[in-house]
């Protein structure tokens, strides 16, 4: 038995929207991670059980280590098939926005999302959601959007419709957004849900192997290069920084998802409470923040890098050079260290 986190009024609103609408599109954010893909595929498989006409659209491609998941081959990548994606959006009666709290996070899909006359439902666990959906299910205290999808299905009285593929996708979402249950995972109810998913046939050890132990040789070499050559320590701020330029990524044949998790690695260094990863993309610098305890990296992300997220996990971006982005971070980090409670 798990607590009723989602308001009953929202449960009933979503139930009625699903009952009344057959053409459903599920969206998630740019550079989709395990929670984004896991939660969307979890909802996708559930809605298929209800005989709905369901499509999942993502802005750009997912990491290679997620492509084994049941239903992944059916996902429409907007960057590859923009016209088809826009047709699906135009025809949709109902749109689910999963794992993002602001329209801009949908990136290239945003214009079609704004234009769509479909009813919209947000299911997300990031703080400060924008008001652009008919129903907003937003609970930042929940470990992952995948967990919210599970709770939503169960509260609608449809637990029996969670098949193996749905359960596995939800488990992937929960596992990846907690670092295999090593952070943001103290709630006992998380493990009640895991037990229910295992009873649905999820092989959790096998899922872990597929997600975390399927590295390419190039990714392993890139990881070694990042740690040996590109790791910078700021002991006075209990902070570590990794930077990777486009040229450096190209040298190691970088593929989508190859740098996933790099930002977490410096947190295993004794005395480090904040880790930041700067990666050069085509037109901007993508920035990932991670921290321990009261070190609120989401404030740095929102104040200076047009981003946001959770206290200990956030993201942002910077338009300029990678050196300029790091210089700005170096300038502002002292004031955030001063407000963090010492450990």
């Amino acid at each position: 038995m798990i607590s009723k986190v989602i308001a009953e009024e929202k449960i009933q609103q979503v139930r009625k929207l699903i009952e009344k609408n057959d053409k459903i599109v599920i969206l998630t954010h740019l550079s989709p991670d395990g929670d984004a893909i896991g939660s969307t595929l979890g909802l996708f498989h559930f809605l298929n059980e209800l005989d709905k006409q369901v499509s999942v659209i993502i802005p750009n491609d997912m990491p290679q280590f997620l492509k084994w998941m049941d239903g992944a081959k059916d996902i429409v990548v907007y960057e590859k098939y923009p016209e088809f994606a826009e047709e699906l959006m135009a025809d949709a009666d109902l749109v689910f926005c999963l794992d993002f709290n602001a329209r801009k996070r949908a990136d290239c899909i945003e214009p079609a999302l704004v234009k769509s006359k479909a009813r919209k439902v947000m299911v997300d666990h990031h703080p400060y959601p924008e008001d652009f959906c008919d129903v907003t299910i937003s609970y930042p205290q929940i470990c992952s959007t995948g967990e919210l999808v599970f709770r939503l299905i169960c509260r609608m009285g449809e637990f029996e419709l969670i098949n193996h593929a749905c359960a596995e996708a939800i488990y992937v979402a929960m596992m990846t957004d907690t670092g295999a249950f090593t952070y943001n995972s103290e709630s006992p109810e998380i493990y009640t849900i895991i037990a229910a998913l295992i009873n649905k046939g999820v092989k959790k050890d096998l899922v872990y192997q597929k997600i975390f132990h399927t590295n390419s040789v190039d990714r392993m070499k890139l990881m070694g290069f990042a740690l040996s050559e590109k790791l910078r320590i700021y002991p006075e701020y209990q902070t570590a920084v990794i930077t990777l330029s486009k040229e450096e990524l190209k040298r190691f044949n970088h593929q989508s998802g190859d740098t996933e998790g790099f930002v977490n690695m410096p947190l295993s260094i004794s005395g480090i409470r904040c880790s930041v990863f700067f990666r050069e993309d085509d037109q901007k610098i993508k920035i990932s923040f991670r921290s321990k305890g009261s070190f609120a990296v989401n404030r740095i992300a929102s104040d200076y890098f047009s981003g946001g997220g959770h206290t200990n996990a956030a993201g942002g971006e910077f338009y300029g050079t990678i050196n300029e982005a790091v210089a700005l971070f170096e300038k502002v980090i002292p004031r955030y260290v001063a407000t963090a409670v010492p450990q």
Side-chain angles (χ1 to χ4, degrees), residues 244-272:
L244 287 172
S245 68
K246 284 195 295 185
E247 281 301 313
E248 289 164 340
L249 293 167
K250 184 178 179 181
R251 189 192 316 172
F252 294 94
N253 302 309
H254 174 261
Q255 303 296 314
S256 177
D258 276 357
T259 59
E260 185 77 20
F262 280 20
V263 67
N264 296 313
M265 295 187 294
L267 290 178
S268 65
I269 300 171
S270 178
I272 296 299

Side-chain angles (χ1 to χ4, degrees), residues 5 14 26 32 63 91 125 163 165 177 215 309 335:
V5 171
V14 174
I26 306 171
D91 289 342
H125 72 134
N163 58 23
D177 235 32
N215 296 306
R335 67 191 66 172

Side-chain angles (χ1 to χ4, degrees), residues 26 61 68 110 183 203 208 252:
I26 306 171
D61 208 0
W68 59 270
E110 182 183 2
Y183 54 81
K203 306 295 184 184
Y208 183 91
F252 294 94

